[in-house]
């Protein structure tokens, strides 16, 4: 009898349900349901509609029943840092505000009034990003203190959805580390830090690691979707799942999890919480099997996605492949700093790129092809610079970059990356997040012994394309 596993992979712009199974040693995937996602403005704040997400989770599960492909387990991964507050009746307290909202402006200084930025990094190893949960909670404490009085628990978005499935509240390790409230040595919440910030300690329950069985579907959910299965924690932070699917067990490779964000780094066994690491703005996020994802957040494909959307609104409908082709026909040499906060949530990404070029006395891109070239070249140069920083910090020479996720399809960008980094680039698999989610479930079910063996299975299951430095010239 075939065994199916269900990955529910929810990103900032869309979500999907992907069934996976192992056939002849190869992992096979089947996407069975897809749905849109995005922040909506509610009372002047950018918010997530968690009830709509929950309805889509169940709708995709019902599709399993319709197909007669009942999973033995399922797990959900999403983006990081955002959370839900619950009261004593498990009702959501307030709105589920998203990370791109401006409420955290100035909250870093509020935190640093209690613990300095240097000491905070020394304790947590997490890079400073104004939307980290630590700053979001400070915004609630300052702007909506009544929420602290009403709430009795806090769950990250995937933890909340797992709770809705099972009735069991747990907090998963990989996503928890992005809050900037976890001790990287102990692998537990830093309760001393949490108390000093004035956050309710009871919100932070002992952490669970990927592969943990949360439980079975609740009777109500089982009745609604038409079957029961185990709920198993993947790396609930989508990047943790994506990195689990990097098809290599070598120590001298870098990865880029390329999607709305580009997360570029390497795996390490110990966190680097030194001042040098902080100065370079690297982070030590938790990974599967307590590996550290030592990486840098780069703005990523969000920039080109936003420009594409603006072009569509103006009546110009280009595919990403066409934008890559158009970029390759241009010669503009302007570049922007992809990590500048001006690109986080601008009213117009097109105008933000133009304004950056104007202020830095560079040629201003005017056409869609020029905009695409500026963005793609800027990303590649950022990747190349990040590789050199990693080599300087770790003392290693990295001979290859593995690109996983949707950006693995961007041939033009991949070639630019090989050129900028002066090393080969391997691209694929594109469905890395779902594959990593499934791999952890398969390890839990005994189909693979560990992550090393699962990665060997992933390498043998999916197409990997190669790009050599200079090949595009």
């Amino acid at each position: 009898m075939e065994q199916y596993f269900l990955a529910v992979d929810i990103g900032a712009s869309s979500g999907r349900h992907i069934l996976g199974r192992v056939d002849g040693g190869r992992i096979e995937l089947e996407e069975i349901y897809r749905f849109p996602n995005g922040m909506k403005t509610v009372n002047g704040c950018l918010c997530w509609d968690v009830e709509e997400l929950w309805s889509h989770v169940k709708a995709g599960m019902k599709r399993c029943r319709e197909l007669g492909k009942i999973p033995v387990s399922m797990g959900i991964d999403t983006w990081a840092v955002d959370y839900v507050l619950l009261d004593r009746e498990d009702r959501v307290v307030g709105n589920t505000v998203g990370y791109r909202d401006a409420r955290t402006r100035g909250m870093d200084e509020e935190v640093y009034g209690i613990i300095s930025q240097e000491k905070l990094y020394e304790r947590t190893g997490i890079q400073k990003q104004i939307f980290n949960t630590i700053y979001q909670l400070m915004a609630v404490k300052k702007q909506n203190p009544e929420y602290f009085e009403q709430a009795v628990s806090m769950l990250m978005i995937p933890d909340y959805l797992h709770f809705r499935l099972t009735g069991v509240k747990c907090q998963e390790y990989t996503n928890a580390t992005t809050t900037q409230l976890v001790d990287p040595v102990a692998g537990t919440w830093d309760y001393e830090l949490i108390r000093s910030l004035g956050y309710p300690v009871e919100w932070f329950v002992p952490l669970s690691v990927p592969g943990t069985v949360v439980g079975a579907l609740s009777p109500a959910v089982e009745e609604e979707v038409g079957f029961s299965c185990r709920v198993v924690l993947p790396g609930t932070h989508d990047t943790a799942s994506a990195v689990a699917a990097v098809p290599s067990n070598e120590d001298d490779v870098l990865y880029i999890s390329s999607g709305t964000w580009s997360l570029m780094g390497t795996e390490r066994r110990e966190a680097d919480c030194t001042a040098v690491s902080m100065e370079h703005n690297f982070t030590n996020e938790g990974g599967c099997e307590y590996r550290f994802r030592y990486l840098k957040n780069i703005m990523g494909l969000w920039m080109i996605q936003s420009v594409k959307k603006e072009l569509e609104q103006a009546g110009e409908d280009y595919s990403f492949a066409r934008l890559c082709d158009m970029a390759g026909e241009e010669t503009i040499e302007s570049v922007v700093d992809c990590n500048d906060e001006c690109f986080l949530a601008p009213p117009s990404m097109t105008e933000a790129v133009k304004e950056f070029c104007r202020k830095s006395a560079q040629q201003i891109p005017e056409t869609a092809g020029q905009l695409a070239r500026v963005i793609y070249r800027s990303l590649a140069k950022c990747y190349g610079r990040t590789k050199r920083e990693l080599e300087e910090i770790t003392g290693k020479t990295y001979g290859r970059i593995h690109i996983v996720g949707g950006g693995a399809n961007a041939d033009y960008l991949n070639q630019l990356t090989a050129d900028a980094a002066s090393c080969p680039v391997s691209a694929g698999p594109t469905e890395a997040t779902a594959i990593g989610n499934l791999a952890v479930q398969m390890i839990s079910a005994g189909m693979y012994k560990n992550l090393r063996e699962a990665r060997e299975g992933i390498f043998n299951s999916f197409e990997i394309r190669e790009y050599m430095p200079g090949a595009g010239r």
Side-chain angles (χ1 to χ4, degrees):
M1 182 177 176
E2 291 181 320
Q3 285 191 309
Y4 292 97
F5 301 84
L6 177 63
V8 183
D9 173 27
I10 307 177
S13 58
S14 67
R16 64 268 178 85
H17 291 56
I18 294 182
L19 282 171
R21 67 188 184 101
V22 178
D23 185 13
R26 292 171 56 88
I27 299 174
E28 295 188 351
L29 306 178
E30 180 184 2
E31 182 181 306
I32 61 169
Y33 186 78
R34 181 176 284 267
F35 56 93
N37 189 29
M39 299 182 202
K40 302 174 182 177
T41 301
V42 180
N43 298 326
C45 293
L46 291 173
C47 300
W48 301 107
D49 189 337
V50 290
E51 282 304 313
E52 185 175 353
L53 287 177
W54 171 234
S55 68
H56 282 299
V57 168
K58 293 185 292 183
M61 294 170 68
K62 292 174 185 177
R63 181 64 180 149
C64 292
R65 182 193 60 200
E66 293 168 4
L67 294 171
K69 298 178 179 179
I70 307 302
V72 296
S73 70
M74 66 175 293
I76 301 172
D77 65 77
T78 76
W79 64 96
V81 305
D82 290 337
Y83 60 89
V84 171
L85 296 178
L86 300 175
D87 67 12
R88 295 188 184 280
E89 281 73 47
D90 293 326
R91 296 173 301 197
V92 176
V93 176
N95 294 316
T96 306
V97 181
Y99 62 87
R100 292 192 190 276
D101 187 76
R103 68 175 175 164
T104 53
R105 203 168 287 157
M107 293 302 112
D108 50 348
E109 295 305 319
E110 294 288 344
V111 169
Y112 301 152
I114 299 169
I115 179 172
S116 70
Q117 183 175 358
E118 293 75 18
K119 287 292 185 183
L120 182 60
Y121 189 88
E122 186 180 320
R123 290 185 78 118
T124 66
I126 298 298
Q127 72 179 125
K128 186 273 182 78
Q129 296 187 108
I130 194 60
F131 49 72
N132 287 351
T133 318
I134 190 174
Y135 306 116
Q136 292 198 41
L137 290 175
M138 184 59 71
V140 175
K141 179 183 173 184
K142 294 293 182 180
Q143 300 163 16
N144 299 101
E146 69 276 14
Y147 294 171
F148 271 37
E149 296 175 7
Q150 299 169 30
V152 298
S153 57
M154 181 198 82
L155 296 174
M156 306 299 279
I157 298 293
D159 295 332
Y160 174 68
L161 295 173
H162 286 142
F163 165 63
R164 294 292 295 267
L165 286 169
T166 64
V168 178
K169 293 179 182 177
C170 64
Q171 292 170 312
E172 189 271 325
Y173 165 71
T174 69
N175 210 0
T177 62
T178 71
T179 64
Q180 211 169 356
L181 294 167
V182 170
D183 180 335
V185 177
T188 61
W189 294 112
D190 186 333
Y191 287 107
E192 182 181 351
L193 173 62
I194 290 166
R195 287 190 186 93
S196 71
L197 293 166
Y199 304 158
V201 173
E202 62 270 19
W203 290 358
F204 303 89
V205 302
L207 296 175
S208 300
V209 297
T212 299
V213 178
V214 181
L217 300 181
S218 71
V221 173
E222 178 181 350
E223 181 178 358
E224 184 172 355
V225 302
F227 64 87
S228 186
C229 70
R230 294 186 306 165
V231 174
V232 174
L233 293 179
T236 62
H237 182 196
D238 51 12
T239 307
S241 281
V243 171
V246 172
S248 173
N249 286 306
E250 300 298 323
D251 291 331
D252 62 344
V253 298
L254 301 177
Y255 58 76
I256 301 175
S257 176
S258 181
T260 300
W261 290 92
S262 287
L263 298 309
M264 183 173 182
T266 187
E267 279 190 326
R268 306 183 77 177
R269 291 294 183 177
E270 294 181 355
D272 183 345
C273 303
T274 63
V276 171
S277 180
M278 186 191 78
E279 288 167 7
H280 285 276
N281 208 28
F282 280 93
T283 198
N284 297 268
E285 295 176 352
C288 296
E289 296 183 352
Y290 283 113
R291 302 163 189 241
F292 286 96
R293 294 175 284 128
Y294 189 65
L295 57 83
K296 177 173 287 191
N297 260 17
I298 299 168
M299 197 67 72
L301 298 180
W302 160 251
M303 296 177 70
I304 195 67
Q305 290 167 351
S306 298
V307 168
K308 181 178 183 294
K309 184 176 181 180
E310 290 166 19
L311 289 168
E312 289 171 353
Q313 292 170 344
E316 301 179 66
D317 192 0
Y318 299 111
S319 67
F320 288 115
R322 177 59 183 144
L323 286 171
C324 281
D325 291 341
M326 293 166 67
E329 297 167 359
E330 298 290 345
T331 58
I332 185 171
E333 295 295 312
S334 304
V335 294
V336 301
D337 178 1
C338 300
N339 292 325
D340 194 291
E341 286 192 4
C342 70
F343 300 121
L344 182 61
S348 167
M349 186 65 72
T350 300
E351 292 305 316
V353 172
K354 289 183 176 181
E355 181 62 17
F356 191 101
C357 292
R358 184 179 297 111
K359 287 183 175 179
S360 54
Q362 300 181 85
Q363 181 182 346
I364 299 171
E366 299 296 345
T367 67
Q370 289 179 344
L371 280 163
R373 177 175 164 87
V374 169
I375 291 171
Y376 283 130
R377 290 184 72 248
S378 300
L379 281 172
K381 285 186 176 295
C382 187
Y383 297 159
R385 184 168 59 251
T386 301
K387 174 178 179 284
R388 292 187 290 274
E389 289 176 332
L390 280 161
E391 289 176 334
E392 178 184 337
I393 291 172
T394 65
K396 290 186 176 182
T397 298
Y398 295 98
R400 182 173 297 274
I401 297 174
H402 277 274
I403 298 179
V404 297
N409 287 325
D411 288 331
Y412 177 69
L413 176 57
N414 296 342
Q415 185 59 58
L416 288 176
T417 301
D419 295 338
S422 301
C423 73
V425 166
S426 298
T430 58
E431 300 290 355
T433 303
I435 293 167
N437 181 324
L438 293 167
V440 169
Q441 295 185 56
M442 291 170 177
I443 293 169
S444 178
M447 304 193 77
Y448 294 111
K449 293 179 182 178
N450 49 34
L451 186 58
R452 172 173 286 274
E453 190 173 286
R455 282 176 165 163
E456 291 173 359
I458 292 166
F459 179 82
N460 293 323
S461 299
F462 301 99
E463 178 188 8
I464 311 293
R465 296 186 301 280
E466 298 289 325
Y467 301 83
M468 302 300 294
R473 296 171 188 166

